Every structure is written in C-alpha cells, then in structure tokens.
Amino acid sequence: MTLDWLAGPIRRWLYAGGTRQDRLRDPDAVIAVVDLRPGMVVGDLGPGAGHFTLRLARAVEPNGVVYALDASRSTLDDLRHAADDRGITTLRTVQVRRDRLEIPEPVDLLFVSATYHHLPEPRKYFSEARTHLRPGARVAILESRREGLLVRWRGHHASPPRRVQREMADAGYRLIETHDIVRGYWFGLFEPDP
C-alpha cells in the first residue's frame, strides 16, 4: 500500500504557499475569473514581467485600457516593450509610489497579483484606493498563502488569507467570491461596501 496520498496534505501542513511557477501555470484561468469585457478599464498593481498584464490588455481590446502600475521604471519600460512587440495598444504604464495608488482614471477592476504583501499599510492603501474605482468595480487579489509550519522560513512573499480578508473589510470592502484555481494561492474578489 502506498502513502503517496499523504504527500499533499503533509506539504500543505508544512507550507501552504505557492511558488511563482504555480501562479503562472494557468494565467488564462485567472483572467477568465475576473470576467473582463472589451472597453473596460483595469489597473494592474505590480505587474512584474506582465504575464497577466498582457492578457488583461488583450481582454479589454479594442477600446479598453490596462494601466500597469509599478514603482519600478525599468519594469514598466520592459513591459511597454513587450506590449509593443505583441502589437498591444491598450496598455499604459504608470509609475506609482508604494504607499498610495495613483491612476489616471477610475477603473472597473484593480488586479493585484503577488503584490499585496509588499504594501506597507494595506488597510490605508485600499481605503484610499476606493476613490479610484468606478461604480460596480471590483478588486481581485491573488496572493500566496502564508500558512503552515515552515512559513517563517518560506513565506516572505505571502499573506495569510484571513489577514487579507480582515484588512480589506477594515478598508471598506466585502468579499464577494473566492476561487481555488492556483495551487498555493488564495484568490479573492472584493467590492467596495456601499
């Protein structure tokens, strides 16, 4: 009799967080969940190399806009070149500070992938971010789980899902749905409380 079925539960007990490879494994499934339509305006906070950003930009074509929001000018320059190479015209890059959201116009969706843990004061950040959301807007947070026995050593780029939910509630949002589509990651969609 094999005990292979124990490997998953034991691994999650030791550390439930995901890796970068887990997050990037099925980006189309992540994009499908946020239900984008042509013409929408999206803010992608901390786009990295643009794995999701370029897909978001394609989803809002031909007349939507995706704002790639990052503190790093070189990250944004690389992303701009990647979009240009692919003929994507709906992408705009915006250099932002880490402690305050600044977007040229209100958005229908604020997409936050593996960035939440970098924010110095998430409650304050998202409370102030409400002014940058259109009526009916949502905030999508995809964040590695900071759970398990080994989290002290492995969970530097992660946040406990309960903390994310508590901080977002304190900032004036309510959780409307969660999705378990990325191994080791918690994926929640929020909307501002009226």
Side-chain angles (χ1 to χ4, degrees):
M1 182 172 137
T2 179
L3 298 179
D4 291 340
W5 62 273
L6 274 176
I10 289 173
R11 187 173 49 248
R12 283 188 299 279
W13 177 72
L14 290 173
Y15 180 63
T19 65
R20 182 175 191 274
Q21 290 80 12
D22 292 331
R23 183 170 50 94
L24 303 180
R25 185 168 284 124
D26 192 1
D28 293 325
V30 172
I31 300 303
V33 166
V34 295
D35 191 31
L36 294 177
R37 293 175 305 283
M40 292 181 84
V41 179
V42 176
D44 184 5
L45 183 61
H51 201 68
F52 293 112
T53 316
L54 299 174
R55 285 172 170 82
L56 293 167
R58 285 278 190 224
V60 301
E61 289 179 331
N63 55 349
V65 175
V66 171
Y67 291 103
L69 311 163
D70 203 283
S72 167
R73 182 78 255 158
S74 65
T75 294
L76 295 172
D77 290 344
D78 291 346
L79 190 51
R80 173 79 265 149
H81 293 302
D84 290 345
D85 289 347
R86 291 166 179 78
I88 296 173
T89 61
T90 56
L91 181 73
R92 309 287 182 276
T93 61
V94 180
Q95 191 169 8
V96 296
R97 295 172 31 177
R98 292 183 190 270
D99 63 342
R100 184 175 57 226
L101 184 63
E102 297 165 345
I103 306 177
E105 65 180 303
V107 298
D108 297 297
L109 174 72
L110 181 58
F111 185 78
V112 184
S113 172
T115 301
Y116 188 92
H117 61 275
H118 288 295
L119 300 173
E121 295 180 68
R123 282 181 185 96
K124 180 180 177 197
Y125 189 93
F126 285 102
S127 179
E128 293 173 357
R130 291 171 54 109
T131 63
H132 296 286
L133 303 177
R134 290 180 170 180
R138 296 166 296 141
V139 175
I141 298 177
L142 178 63
E143 182 77 358
S144 181
R145 297 174 178 273
R146 193 172 203 281
E147 299 174 332
L149 187 63
L150 300 178
V151 75
R152 177 184 290 169
W153 298 279
R154 297 203 54 203
H156 301 292
H157 296 284
S159 300
R162 285 188 188 133
R163 189 182 94 211
V164 173
Q165 292 174 53
R166 184 178 61 250
E167 290 174 346
M168 290 298 286
D170 291 348
Y173 296 83
R174 65 186 175 105
L175 181 65
I176 54 173
E177 54 188 88
T178 61
H179 298 276
D180 191 21
I181 57 175
V182 181
R183 185 177 76 194
Y185 280 75
W186 182 82
F187 190 18
L189 290 172
F190 295 86
E191 65 183 11
D193 270 335

